[in-house]
Amino acid sequence: MLKIVLYIIGIIIEIAIVVFSMSRLYKQYKDSKTIDEKVVFFLFLFIFASPLIIYYLDRYDVFSKLKWIENIDSDRWFNFLATYVSSILGALIGAVVLIIMTKHQMDRQDEKDKEIVRINNMPLLTYKLNRNTGKINLENLIVTNCKKGKNVDFELTIKNVGMNTIKKSFIVFASEDFSSPYCNWLENNGCIDKNERVTIYRYLELSKGKHTINFTIYYCDLINNWYSQNVKLNFEITNYFDKDGNIYLPKMIIEDEKLLEEEPKELINLL
């Protein structure tokens, strides 16, 4: 009776292990995204499954029960089968590893070539801040939430000193003093040739104290790579003026440009 119970428990444990293993294998297969991962998955499945299959075929003497090895030396046939399977496994492992390594090297070289092309077409922007020389109109006005503030005006010059032309670009002004960001294309729909510059004029009203205005330039090179660069303007509005009777220009902090993974479509829709 005890042997029967232990036998049943053993069968239940084996079934549980098989079910668990199959569920894990299915999950691993679903997580495989590329063809390389799927090939490696089936290869490892074959590697681990082959010894188990051979073991259970021998344990339950399947070939004898099916009468496949009558009048032959079963031990010699089994040794041949084990050697044959191991040879196939060795050849498969070597071939798959060679293919994967070759493909990996080709992908790395392809990425390297694309990066070289990108760098050779990469624009580079410089910024210069001056006093707004009288170009004050409604198009250049930024409405703020500040009350009883002082008028601030500035002229921002952006120059492309990079390797190639900017195909299109736009600017986004944002601050806690704005109710919403201000977005607009730069001149000529944002097309800036190499060594060409564009100028932006803005004026606004800020109350006494410290204020920060962020503006971000989004620009696209000739091979459709999108970049962004953020610049901070730190204002400190006081009762002191410069020699011309104007409020001092803000301090400008320029951050490094960033390569974007895709076109900023959501921002473009606001333009």
Side-chain angles (χ1 to χ4, degrees), residues 28-45 96 100 103:
Q28 188 66 33
Y29 176 77
K30 296 293 289 185
D31 292 340
S32 301
K33 304 297 182 183
T34 64
I35 186 66
D36 295 344
E37 293 177 347
K38 293 184 184 297
V39 170
V40 172
F41 168 81
F42 283 112
L43 177 62
F44 276 99
L45 180 62
V96 170
I100 292 176
K103 186 176 183 304

Side-chain angles (χ1 to χ4, degrees), residues 59-125:
R59 177 180 179 180
Y60 294 106
D61 200 13
V62 174
F63 293 120
S64 297
K65 293 179 180 179
L66 294 176
K67 298 182 179 180
W68 287 357
I69 57 174
E70 290 184 351
N71 302 321
I72 63 174
D73 189 342
S74 60
D75 290 336
R76 186 172 59 183
W77 173 251
F78 181 80
N79 291 333
F80 167 77
L81 180 63
T83 303
Y84 181 75
V85 171
S86 62
S87 300
I88 292 177
L89 283 177
L92 281 175
I93 293 173
V96 170
V97 169
L98 178 61
I99 293 172
I100 292 176
M101 290 299 296
T102 303
K103 186 176 183 304
H104 180 66
Q105 291 178 356
M106 292 176 62
D107 291 341
R108 286 186 61 184
Q109 184 62 42
D110 187 52
E111 291 177 1
K112 185 178 179 180
D113 293 341
K114 289 181 179 179
E115 184 67 11
I116 292 174
V117 173
R118 182 186 73 81
I119 292 174
N120 289 336
N121 285 274
M122 180 179 176
L124 179 64
L125 302 180

Side-chain angles (χ1 to χ4, degrees), residues 78-214:
F78 181 80
N79 291 333
F80 167 77
L81 180 63
T83 303
Y84 181 75
V85 171
S86 62
S87 300
I88 292 177
L89 283 177
L92 281 175
I93 293 173
V96 170
V97 169
L98 178 61
I99 293 172
I100 292 176
M101 290 299 296
T102 303
K103 186 176 183 304
H104 180 66
Q105 291 178 356
M106 292 176 62
D107 291 341
R108 286 186 61 184
Q109 184 62 42
D110 187 52
E111 291 177 1
K112 185 178 179 180
D113 293 341
K114 289 181 179 179
E115 184 67 11
I116 292 174
V117 173
R118 182 186 73 81
I119 292 174
N120 289 336
N121 285 274
M122 180 179 176
L124 179 64
L125 302 180
T126 61
Y127 305 90
K128 186 178 180 181
L129 202 63
N130 293 309
R131 181 68 57 199
N132 187 339
T133 55
K135 294 191 177 183
I136 298 177
N137 53 52
L138 290 178
E139 291 181 359
N140 300 329
L141 173 65
I142 294 180
V143 179
T144 67
N145 302 324
C146 300
K147 297 180 179 179
K148 296 181 179 180
K150 297 182 181 294
N151 291 327
V152 177
D153 56 87
F154 59 87
E155 174 186 294
L156 176 65
T157 301
I158 304 171
K159 184 178 180 181
N160 177 18
V161 296
M163 302 294 291
N164 216 326
T165 300
I166 292 176
K167 185 163 63 174
K168 48 187 173 181
S169 58
F170 63 94
I171 189 169
V172 179
F173 286 94
S175 173
E176 293 181 354
D177 297 312
F178 305 165
S179 58
S180 62
Y182 286 80
C183 306
N184 62 271
W185 291 102
L186 298 182
E187 296 177 8
N188 301 320
N189 289 326
C191 181
I192 309 175
D193 290 331
K194 183 179 179 181
N195 295 322
E196 186 183 11
R197 66 189 70 195
V198 296
T199 303
I200 300 171
Y201 306 95
R202 291 291 182 269
Y203 75 98
L204 60 155
E205 190 175 80
L206 295 176
S207 58
K208 186 177 180 180
K210 294 183 179 181
H211 303 267
T212 298
I213 295 177
N214 296 296

Side-chain angles (χ1 to χ4, degrees), residues 118 122-125 127 166 168-172 215-221 224-231 254-264 267:
R118 182 186 73 81
M122 180 179 176
L124 179 64
L125 302 180
Y127 305 90
I166 292 176
K168 48 187 173 181
S169 58
F170 63 94
I171 189 169
V172 179
F215 70 84
T216 305
I217 303 288
Y218 294 87
Y219 53 98
C220 178
D221 63 16
N224 295 322
N225 291 307
W226 275 92
Y227 302 84
S228 70
Q229 187 166 31
N230 188 58
V231 180
I254 303 173
E255 299 178 0
D256 293 336
E257 72 279 353
K258 297 178 181 178
L259 175 63
L260 304 181
E261 294 183 356
E262 59 182 359
E263 179 182 3
L267 288 172

